[in-house]
Amino acid sequence: MNGEVIFCPKWHRAFWFLLFAVPCFLHAGEAEITCRSCQPGSKWRGKELLLKFHTSESATGFRGQVFGNSERRFGAASAETPRLSCAVGSAECARARVEYPETSLKRNTRDLRAKGELGQSEFTQMKVSNVSTSGQKKNGRVEGVRRRARRNSHGDKLGSPRSAQNQDRGEATGTVAGRRVTRSELRWSGEERRAAGPRQEELKLNSSTFALTGDSSHNQAMVHWSGQNSSVILMLTKLFDFNLNSVTESSLWRSTDYGATYQKLNDKVGAKTILSYLYVSPNNKRKIMLLTDPEVESSLLISSDEGATYQKYRLNFYILSLLFHPEQEDWILAYSHDQKLYSSVEFGRRWQLVHERVAPNRFYWSKMGLDKEPGLIHLETSITEGQALYVTCKLQNCTDANKGKPFPGYIDPNSLVVQDEYVFVQVSAGGRPIYYVSAKRDVFTPMKLPKYTLPKDLHVISTDENRVVAAVREWNQNETYNLYVSDTSGVYYTLALENVVSSMGPEGNVMVDLYEVAGIKGMFLANKRTDNQVKTYITYNRGRDWRLLQAPSKDLRGNSIHCVLPYCSLHLHLHVSANPYTSGNIASRDSAPGIIVASGSIGAELTTSNVSVFITSDAGNTWRQQIFDEEYAVLYLDQGGALVAIRHTPLPIRHLWLSFDEGRQWNKYSFTNTPLFVDGVLGEPGEETLIMTIFGHVSHRSEWQLVKIDFRSIFNRRCIEADYQTWHLHNQGEPCLMGVKRIYRKLKPTSRCVMGKTYSVTMTSAPCDCTEADFECDYGFERRTDGKCTPAFWFHPSSMSRSCTTGMTFLNSTGYRKVVSNNCTAGVSAEYTARRQQCPIQAPKGLHLVTSEGSLTAVLGTNVTFLVFLEEGDGARTSITLDFGDGHALTYSNVSSIEDGIKHIYKAVGIYRVTATGENSLGSETAMLYLHVTCQLEYIHLSAPFVAVRNKEVNLTAVLWPSQVGTVTYIWWIGNNTEQPVITLEGSVAYTFSREGINTVTVQVSAGNTILQDRKTIAVHEYFRSHLLAFSSNLDEHNPDIAEWRLDVSRVIKNSLIQATGVREDQLLVTVLPGLPTAAEFFLLPDKQITEGKPEKSSAHLDQLSELLLSALNQNLVQFTLRPGVQVTVYAAHLSAAPLVDTSENHSGSAMLMLLSVVVVGLAVFVIYKFKRKIPGLNVYAQMQNEKEQEMSPANPTVATPSSQQDLVHSLEILDTEFNSRPIGCMKPHVHVKFSTELPTYIV
């Protein structure tokens, strides 16, 4: 047994007693889908302060227990997105991960108040738990009793598998199958109710006390009871510094006499060694592993003799979690802080790296009989932020050549769940998750829920007895889940119960109010919301039928209770307390079938007020009310032969209560002479549970006090056959449950004897004739109010699976299927059982074509995997032809030959119509998709003039690198219209500026996941003049053709022109054009002070300035020194490039020639653009989506907009930055935004 005691020191307060179950071995086995996992491990967080012990059970019953507890309540790991999640704590999730640090106990710091001051609210809820014992191991992890399903929901994301759930280091996923013992909050109404008879003298229990001297400052403890028939107990106490978030001191204690005395072992592990965690092999309890605090050193201490001696081994990584092999005692997987998975085949003495980038909690051991070899590891590896791969790997040789990829394609992160014979993954497509399942390691098939379920969230609750139970939050649900059960393949699901209540767990996990009763196969309790009221329902046949609980007929005083079904019934609390150290408020046990202790209320609905404790001895048919005036923890003892109640109070206690007749009478016993602040309780492993250790403190500054209680002294004899009676399991008088009549042997309530280790639950059964109640509705059928199963409106009963091959037979459903594990015979079996018929020849129907990633986009030059599914038809005789849309096609003879997918590489950008055709002699079926093959957009350039004429059309063009990237959307902000952008599919727009001034044009280009932006500033005037400039040839030798160089040279040319002509600076613009030979252009702007309102003067004035500049240029007066010895002369070119529209009254020949050249250039750009937009092989163009306007988040297009000509000149200088063309090619797409501000007027 393992446990941890944690103490938060607040010296002015007393201890708050936390009694919780402590068997800490976890077993491997079932998985749960959340579980984004179930409890993701965190590096060295003080999560041990939040330890919970969720342990799982075998398919035939739950044998592990927390203080004797073997009940299961299901939860799911939290899901940020719909994820495959496990039922945390359920048999699936619990067997996960690390054989984790032993049970955690916490020193109590609850406010110390007088008994009379305790608020009534503190007694409203009862918590029940069992004496903690080691659970039975399954699949490598030790089983516990109580099973909770939760989502990580990890995951997420289906519920997660217990075999894959790696809980936080503080989580009790340890090797000891234990359960936390939280206290039950039972209420006593008065002293007269504590015993049925007259008040007796105080009875005493045989006990001994041992103080852990020197550990008074330690506030945490981890305890391990070596195992059944062993007297060895190990206890690790620690001082956890909450400010440093680390352990600063530790002590290791060992007892060899059942806890009567302890020896300190610090000298054997190293006096200065600080220990942080304690692990035990689930297959060999003699093998102990201690982990040092990584803040000091990273080491392991290993013992093979139950902790008597240790050897230290250094580690080069930090262990976050461990996963022991279910059969090989020395095989361990370790998960590190940097997402690396290591393996050891020598019980931690040597480690080898298995794989990097492994998702937390998503690694699993292979299962014998299903996987090819015992050393196989199932794991999920991260590829990108939104993509992961499911791979299998050999333990000692995980190379690329030895890796397997059971699922063809990417899966959603944190969605892999390997649980028993099932594997679950999740793939999102079109905004919806698709859940896939593989049974017995066969091919993956989409899970088929009723057609319009449309799940928002899904968790795998259990996979017991070859069927899957899933909790689904449907599209119209917010706080409840519907329960679905599958057939043996795990593919087809039918509704079991609607609107099951859920709540948020202490770590943000979704907890589903479903409880599996231990010891009675097929019996569950669930809380269902009906008309805004929560009611408790019970089933005896795995969810086939549910009914309300009949309330007790009398209260404890003997007064009649008037409660008539269905208006009034008994309702039970099935949820776990928000306090992670308190256990649930319902308990049952395999060794005590039919006995259930729970808290609840009587009335029309479940309430949190007027809560009482109820006990049933006949599996829920009748209930007795127990009333306590204070909180008590109720524990099972001696395999259920006795019940122990320990007071839950902030005050020190020295008494407990015992009942030998299933809670009908209680006797008070003292377990110590000195009152003790109780911190926790640890029970002897095994089914007998006759020795308990109570942990506590005499005062809040004292050492740990360990009180060993031996209950064997209160039993005066061993039970004999006459002490037992037979008990017939029934449901309101109906003896045939799950197809059999079951008769149990139970201890008589009047017998006070010890059953001991030799006792085992004895059950005899006899089959019953099958009735309609033994069958549930098959997939596609729904139960009517008269109980008959009829086809749903969306279902076609005549449909057959593609596996039905001509010449073979198939099972034709009658609308019913036998409940899993139901053993009825004869009766109506022939009428309701599916009938075997010959497979007829059938045309293919229900052909589906998807990509393995569920995406409609692909990157040029990469492999695209297409998956083809056929719902109906003869798959063996149906050929499949896949036309990729690029002139290539492949044909396959049957469906089974393409189960791993079809791969193809596209060599050109475009939108391709991919068509799959299934055909046989009776017909054909076609499915298609349109695949966008894209290339990464690297750069864009906005081509626009520097100066434009008012009321004259201007062409704005966005040029892309590379030119062909796929479907592109352009968003334009032009001029002062910054609120309503223009969205086009063309890269060129024409625009007319109606006002003079400075205007900014911004364009964003959206291609795939990339958004790039460019911006230009345009000066708009009524008149302007411009002219091209040429240079002496020596300038070309020094032109690197980069933006910064052109900007600097433009400034030098402008200054030279001003010096040579005296033109005002605000009237002159100069720009050097990209390319060689080097060319430039100057612009002359009108002087508003001279020409305001006088167009004729503007034209004349600009002509004078133009003549002045040209004269200076023709006389070689404009020169500048580029560098010493390099003198550059500026000339006037023979042709002018502007204005684009001649503003003079008489069109000169040169202007017309320039206009013609501009038109030719424009046509060339248009042709190039159209060529860019052409899609190879198809004349398909993307359609504008309304959502595009909502999705765009443009940068503020008004930033840095010049307000004057002076500003324009400055803007041209600061905006002209480098824009280098790179080789055309495709990069892996990723979301980003780049800004390009290159400002050439023309592309040369």
Side-chain angles (χ1 to χ4, degrees):
M1 280 325 294
N2 298 342
E4 177 166 3
V5 183
I6 302 175
F7 173 54
C8 302
K10 293 182 182 177
W11 307 120
H12 62 288
R13 298 186 177 185
F15 304 111
W16 180 23
F17 307 125
L18 300 174
L19 307 179
F20 52 94
V22 228
C24 300
F25 288 109
L26 292 183
H27 68 294
E30 307 163 6
E32 308 159 284
I33 291 193
T34 190
C35 267
R36 260 156 201 277
S37 14
C38 277
Q39 311 266 322
S42 289
K43 175 184 174 184
W44 312 123
R45 291 189 299 160
K47 272 302 263 251
E48 68 273 11
L49 301 178
L50 298 176
L51 284 185
K52 293 194 297 185
F53 299 91
H54 300 298
T55 56
S56 46
E57 329 301 339
S58 65
T60 56
F62 313 111
R63 296 180 178 80
Q65 52 180 317
V66 177
F67 280 68
N69 195 2
S70 60
E71 72 277 16
R72 305 197 299 181
R73 185 195 170 230
F74 301 99
S78 65
E80 299 171 3
T81 57
R83 286 274 178 262
L84 294 180
S85 334
C86 69
V88 175
S90 70
E92 293 79 38
C93 216
R95 24 175 173 153
R97 265 355 101 238
V98 307
E99 305 306 338
Y100 247 148
E102 321 322 47
T103 308
S104 161
L105 302 179
K106 180 178 180 180
R107 236 180 178 181
N108 205 321
T109 56
R110 191 176 181 180
D111 289 340
L112 182 61
R113 293 177 289 179
K115 179 176 178 180
E117 297 176 6
L118 294 177
Q120 184 65 26
S121 62
E122 298 179 21
F123 305 129
T124 58
Q125 284 192 334
M126 155 279 202
K127 313 265 190 215
V128 292
S129 52
N130 300 331
V131 178
S132 112
T133 62
S134 291
Q136 187 168 350
K137 66 182 179 180
K138 175 183 177 183
N139 222 13
R141 290 143 177 111
V142 180
E143 270 183 57
V145 217
R146 199 153 156 243
R147 180 167 168 188
R148 274 186 81 71
R150 67 169 109 188
R151 177 166 192 212
N152 281 245
S153 228
H154 233 169
D156 248 151
K157 132 182 261 173
L158 291 175
S160 204
R162 62 182 164 198
S163 59
Q165 297 330 5
N166 180 6
Q167 297 182 341
D168 269 17
R169 180 159 256 175
E171 288 282 332
T173 38
T175 55
V176 179
R179 207 150 312 207
R180 60 178 184 198
V181 179
T182 65
R183 17 193 110 80
S184 49
E185 299 169 346
L186 303 181
R187 299 191 54 180
W188 296 83
S189 62
E191 191 71 24
E192 72 280 3
R193 293 177 183 160
R194 298 177 181 169
R199 185 176 180 89
Q200 302 175 358
E201 293 184 2
E202 180 175 272
L203 302 175
K204 295 184 178 181
L205 294 170
N206 184 9
S207 64
S208 62
T209 303
F210 186 87
L212 301 183
T213 307
D215 287 355
S216 60
S217 63
H218 291 191
N219 51 15
Q220 296 179 2
M222 303 174 69
V223 188
H224 162 67
W225 201 319
S226 186
Q228 194 168 357
N229 300 322
S230 174
S231 60
V232 175
I233 301 176
L234 290 175
M235 185 170 183
L236 173 63
T237 64
K238 301 178 290 183
L239 173 59
F240 186 88
D241 190 314
F242 292 91
N243 294 322
L244 300 177
N245 196 35
S246 64
V247 179
T248 57
E249 293 181 15
S250 67
S251 295
L252 182 64
W253 299 82
R254 184 173 186 261
S255 172
T256 58
D257 53 9
Y258 289 95
T261 59
Y262 287 82
Q263 177 188 3
K264 199 169 187 176
L265 301 182
N266 283 23
D267 56 336
K268 293 189 177 182
V269 299
K272 297 183 179 180
T273 300
I274 299 178
L275 304 175
S276 57
Y277 294 99
L278 172 66
Y279 302 88
V280 183
S281 169
N283 302 300
N284 184 349
K285 304 304 186 301
R286 295 181 59 83
K287 292 189 174 182
I288 311 295
M289 181 182 293
L290 296 171
L291 185 64
T292 61
D293 191 326
E295 298 296 333
V296 180
E297 63 173 325
S298 185
S299 300
L300 285 176
L301 286 92
I302 297 174
S303 172
S304 299
D305 52 10
E306 290 189 286
T309 60
Y310 294 89
Q311 292 177 311
K312 179 179 285 189
Y313 297 88
R314 294 283 183 177
L315 294 174
N316 58 3
F317 63 95
Y318 292 169
I319 293 179
L320 288 183
S321 61
L322 295 177
L323 181 64
F324 289 82
H325 193 275
E327 297 172 357
Q328 299 291 334
E329 63 184 51
D330 291 334
W331 290 12
I332 310 174
L333 294 177
Y335 187 73
S336 71
H337 67 291
D338 54 356
Q339 293 189 317
K340 293 180 180 179
L341 186 66
Y342 296 85
S343 67
S344 174
V345 294
E346 301 177 53
F347 199 72
R349 293 174 176 84
R350 292 183 180 87
W351 295 92
Q352 177 178 332
L353 178 65
V354 176
H355 207 288
E356 297 181 344
R357 295 179 60 84
V358 176
N361 315 321
R362 303 295 174 174
F363 48 92
Y364 312 83
W365 284 110
S366 57
K367 185 175 179 65
M368 289 297 293
L370 291 174
D371 294 289
K372 297 179 181 178
E373 51 187 293
L376 198 66
I377 304 169
H378 301 263
L379 58 89
E380 176 186 312
T381 177
S382 302
I383 304 299
T384 63
E385 183 177 351
Q387 293 179 327
L389 278 177
Y390 165 32
V391 299
T392 56
C393 215
K394 291 185 177 180
L395 175 63
Q396 295 291 305
N397 190 18
C398 188
T399 62
D400 290 337
N402 291 323
K403 288 181 185 177
K405 295 183 179 179
F407 185 82
Y410 295 114
I411 65 175
D412 290 351
N414 297 311
S415 70
L416 173 65
V417 171
V418 182
Q419 180 168 314
D420 291 331
E421 65 181 58
Y422 300 98
V423 181
F424 304 89
V425 297
Q426 174 182 312
V427 177
S428 293
R432 291 183 181 177
I434 302 175
Y435 305 102
Y436 291 87
V437 62
S438 166
K440 298 181 179 179
R441 307 301 188 260
D442 202 350
V443 296
F444 281 87
T445 305
M447 296 169 61
K448 289 187 174 295
L449 294 160
K451 188 172 183 179
Y452 297 105
T453 299
L454 305 179
K456 295 191 297 185
D457 192 14
L458 187 150
H459 310 276
V460 171
I461 296 297
S462 73
T463 53
D464 283 351
E465 301 189 9
N466 301 319
R467 82 158 183 181
V468 180
V469 178
V472 178
R473 176 170 288 176
E474 301 189 16
W475 63 273
N476 57 350
Q477 293 178 304
N478 293 319
E479 298 180 354
T480 59
Y481 283 77
N482 290 348
L483 293 181
Y484 287 88
V485 294
S486 77
D487 60 351
T488 55
S489 70
V491 174
Y492 296 97
Y493 292 78
T494 59
L495 181 65
L497 185 65
E498 292 183 295
N499 296 320
V500 178
V501 173
S502 67
S503 59
M504 195 62 67
E507 280 117 18
N509 303 307
V510 175
M511 311 304 294
V512 180
D513 271 18
L514 176 67
Y515 177 83
E516 182 167 4
V517 178
I520 307 293
K521 185 175 68 173
M523 183 176 175
F524 291 83
L525 291 162
N527 283 331
K528 175 182 177 180
R529 186 180 298 278
T530 304
D531 299 329
N532 294 323
Q533 292 183 328
V534 177
K535 301 175 182 287
T536 301
Y537 288 78
I538 190 171
T539 179
Y540 295 86
N541 53 7
R542 288 191 172 272
R544 163 60 173 80
D545 298 292
W546 298 84
R547 66 169 176 85
L548 295 168
L549 297 178
Q550 178 64 61
S553 58
K554 296 182 180 297
D555 61 19
L556 196 61
R557 301 179 181 86
N559 301 321
S560 297
I561 299 176
H562 182 70
C563 186
V564 180
L565 293 172
Y567 310 103
C568 174
S569 60
L570 173 63
H571 311 285
L572 304 177
H573 287 284
L574 305 178
H575 62 77
V576 170
S577 170
N579 186 332
Y581 297 105
T582 58
S583 66
N585 33 29
I586 182 170
S588 58
R589 184 172 174 180
D590 286 321
S591 59
I595 300 178
I596 306 172
V597 184
S599 65
S601 60
I602 298 173
E605 63 177 326
L606 180 65
T607 64
T608 56
S609 60
N610 300 320
V611 175
S612 299
V613 178
F614 299 88
I615 297 180
T616 178
S617 300
D618 57 4
N621 284 281
T622 60
W623 295 82
R624 299 185 303 277
Q625 186 174 11
Q626 307 289 312
I627 300 178
F628 303 93
D629 59 7
E630 291 178 351
E631 299 176 275
Y632 275 74
V634 176
L635 318 172
Y636 282 79
L637 193 66
D638 186 30
Q639 308 192 63
L643 298 177
V644 180
I646 302 179
R647 184 181 172 191
H648 176 206
T649 172
L651 302 175
I653 62 173
R654 66 185 192 92
H655 295 98
L656 53 76
W657 295 77
L658 282 170
S659 174
F660 302 95
D661 56 1
E662 301 174 350
R664 293 177 176 85
Q665 298 184 28
W666 294 89
N667 297 307
K668 183 178 181 181
Y669 290 81
S670 65
F671 63 88
T672 181
N673 294 324
T674 304
L676 194 69
F677 291 97
V678 176
D679 299 314
V681 181
L682 180 68
E684 176 190 10
E687 292 296 323
E688 185 177 11
T689 315
L690 289 173
I691 298 178
M692 286 173 47
T693 298
I694 295 180
F695 301 86
H697 296 78
V698 175
S699 68
H700 40 267
R701 287 184 178 271
S702 69
E703 293 88 357
W704 293 94
Q705 303 289 322
L706 279 60
V707 181
K708 171 193 170 184
I709 304 175
D710 191 341
F711 288 97
R712 289 174 293 188
S713 61
I714 65 173
F715 296 96
N716 50 23
R717 60 183 177 84
R718 285 273 181 179
C719 294
I720 58 175
E721 190 61 32
D723 293 312
Y724 296 96
Q725 63 181 1
T726 58
W727 171 65
H728 295 256
L729 175 65
H730 65 93
N731 175 15
Q732 294 183 325
E734 172 55 55
C736 287
L737 301 177
M738 296 295 291
V740 294
K741 296 178 180 179
R742 282 173 277 182
I743 303 175
Y744 293 86
R745 187 184 71 154
K746 293 177 58 176
L747 191 66
K748 293 179 180 179
T750 57
S751 297
R752 181 171 174 176
C753 56
V754 59
M755 292 185 285
K757 295 182 175 64
T758 59
Y759 170 78
S760 62
V761 176
T762 302
M763 181 193 72
T764 59
S765 61
C768 299
D769 289 341
C770 291
T771 65
E772 189 267 344
D774 296 309
F775 294 83
E776 61 190 4
C777 292
D778 204 348
Y779 172 76
F781 291 80
E782 298 174 338
R783 190 174 301 281
R784 299 185 311 192
T785 55
D786 61 359
K788 300 296 182 181
C789 295
T790 57
F793 73 93
W794 48 266
F795 183 67
H796 304 285
S798 60
S799 63
M800 292 175 296
S801 169
R802 64 175 176 85
S803 60
C804 192
T805 304
T806 304
M808 299 178 63
T809 60
F810 76 103
L811 292 174
N812 188 12
S813 176
T814 61
Y816 298 84
R817 66 188 185 196
K818 185 183 287 188
V819 175
V820 174
S821 302
N822 189 295
N823 296 316
C824 71
T825 58
V828 299
S829 179
E831 178 183 348
Y832 287 94
T833 301
R835 300 174 180 86
R836 187 164 295 279
Q837 298 179 1
Q838 289 291 323
C839 291
I841 300 177
Q842 185 179 13
K845 187 176 181 181
L847 189 67
H848 298 276
L849 172 63
V850 296
T851 62
S852 60
E853 301 178 21
S855 172
L856 295 177
T857 63
V859 178
L860 183 67
T862 61
N863 253 321
V864 183
T865 302
F866 296 96
L867 302 178
V868 181
F869 301 101
L870 180 63
E871 290 185 357
E872 304 172 26
D874 189 345
R877 298 175 183 268
T878 299
S879 65
I880 299 294
T881 299
L882 189 62
D883 186 339
F884 301 105
D886 61 350
H888 297 84
L890 294 174
T891 300
Y892 297 85
S893 59
N894 54 59
V895 177
S896 60
S897 59
I898 58 173
E899 288 176 340
D900 293 333
I902 304 171
K903 299 182 184 299
H904 185 67
I905 297 177
Y906 288 91
K907 298 181 179 180
V909 170
I911 303 178
Y912 297 90
R913 181 174 57 200
V914 185
T915 305
T917 303
E919 186 175 7
N920 60 23
S921 59
L922 291 183
S924 63
E925 175 91 350
T926 299
M928 71 174 61
L929 61 81
Y930 291 93
L931 183 70
H932 292 239
V933 178
T934 62
C935 189
Q936 177 73 21
L937 177 62
E938 299 183 28
Y939 298 100
I940 69 169
H941 165 65
L942 174 58
S943 176
F946 283 121
V947 185
V949 180
R950 184 172 69 89
N951 293 327
K952 298 297 180 180
E953 191 174 80
V954 175
N955 186 58
L956 307 172
T957 302
V959 184
L960 312 182
W961 279 267
S963 60
Q964 296 186 14
V965 294
T967 306
V968 179
T969 303
Y970 301 84
I971 305 97
W972 305 84
W973 289 267
I974 303 175
N976 296 323
N977 184 14
T978 60
E979 295 183 358
Q980 296 296 330
V982 177
I983 302 177
T984 68
L985 293 179
E986 301 294 334
S988 182
V989 297
Y991 190 80
T992 300
F993 295 96
S994 60
R995 294 182 181 180
E996 291 188 276
I998 304 303
N999 291 271
T1000 299
V1001 178
T1002 302
V1003 61
Q1004 286 187 344
V1005 180
S1006 175
N1009 293 326
T1010 302
I1011 300 176
L1012 299 184
Q1013 175 175 301
D1014 196 6
R1015 178 183 293 122
K1016 292 292 184 293
T1017 300
I1018 301 175
V1020 180
H1021 294 278
E1022 189 74 28
Y1023 303 95
F1024 68 89
R1025 294 290 186 270
S1026 68
H1027 205 288
L1028 289 177
L1029 301 175
F1031 304 90
S1032 54
S1033 60
N1034 58 349
L1035 181 60
D1036 292 342
E1037 299 175 3
H1038 302 280
N1039 184 355
D1041 197 22
I1042 62 174
E1044 288 86 352
W1045 185 90
R1046 292 191 293 270
L1047 185 63
D1048 290 336
V1049 172
S1050 297
R1051 183 172 58 254
V1052 172
I1053 297 170
K1054 179 178 178 180
N1055 293 333
S1056 299
L1057 286 170
I1058 292 174
Q1059 291 176 4
T1061 62
V1063 177
R1064 287 169 49 184
E1065 183 179 354
D1066 59 351
Q1067 289 186 265
L1068 182 62
L1069 301 177
V1070 178
T1071 180
V1072 177
L1073 304 178
L1076 293 173
T1078 308
E1081 186 174 10
F1082 74 81
F1083 297 86
L1084 285 172
L1085 306 178
D1087 187 342
K1088 293 298 183 181
Q1089 296 178 356
I1090 299 176
T1091 63
E1092 185 69 32
K1094 301 175 181 179
E1096 64 282 356
K1097 288 189 176 182
S1098 296
S1099 178
H1101 180 67
L1102 290 177
D1103 289 340
Q1104 293 176 2
L1105 292 178
S1106 180
E1107 290 296 332
L1108 178 63
L1109 287 172
L1110 291 175
S1111 176
L1113 291 168
N1114 291 332
Q1115 298 178 40
N1116 296 334
L1117 299 178
V1118 182
Q1119 297 181 349
F1120 62 91
T1121 301
L1122 184 66
R1123 57 186 302 178
V1126 180
Q1127 189 74 13
V1128 179
T1129 303
V1130 185
Y1131 305 98
H1134 294 292
L1135 292 177
S1136 175
L1140 298 180
V1141 178
D1142 192 358
T1143 59
S1144 64
E1145 295 180 0
N1146 298 320
H1147 303 295
S1148 66
S1150 60
M1152 291 299 294
L1153 182 60
M1154 176 53 59
L1155 180 60
L1156 181 60
S1157 66
V1158 170
V1159 171
V1160 172
V1161 171
L1163 288 174
V1165 172
F1166 180 79
V1167 170
I1168 292 173
Y1169 176 75
K1170 281 299 183 181
F1171 179 78
K1172 171 181 72 67
R1173 297 285 297 170
K1174 185 70 174 175
I1175 299 173
L1178 287 176
N1179 294 320
V1180 182
Y1181 291 87
Q1183 298 295 321
M1184 176 64 65
Q1185 298 295 327
N1186 294 331
E1187 292 82 356
K1188 285 292 183 183
E1189 297 185 18
Q1190 302 172 2
E1191 293 174 359
M1192 294 303 152
S1193 300
N1196 187 350
T1198 64
V1199 174
T1201 301
S1203 58
S1204 66
Q1205 294 180 16
Q1206 185 87 18
D1207 295 334
L1208 172 62
V1209 177
H1210 181 66
S1211 299
L1212 293 175
E1213 295 176 352
I1214 65 173
L1215 287 177
D1216 188 18
T1217 58
E1218 178 181 1
F1219 185 84
N1220 286 328
S1221 174
R1222 296 189 179 182
I1224 295 177
C1226 286
M1227 300 184 300
K1228 188 164 183 62
H1230 56 281
V1231 178
H1232 63 287
V1233 177
K1234 294 182 179 178
F1235 297 91
S1236 173
T1237 52
E1238 172 69 10
L1239 286 173
T1241 304
Y1242 309 107
I1243 303 299
V1244 179

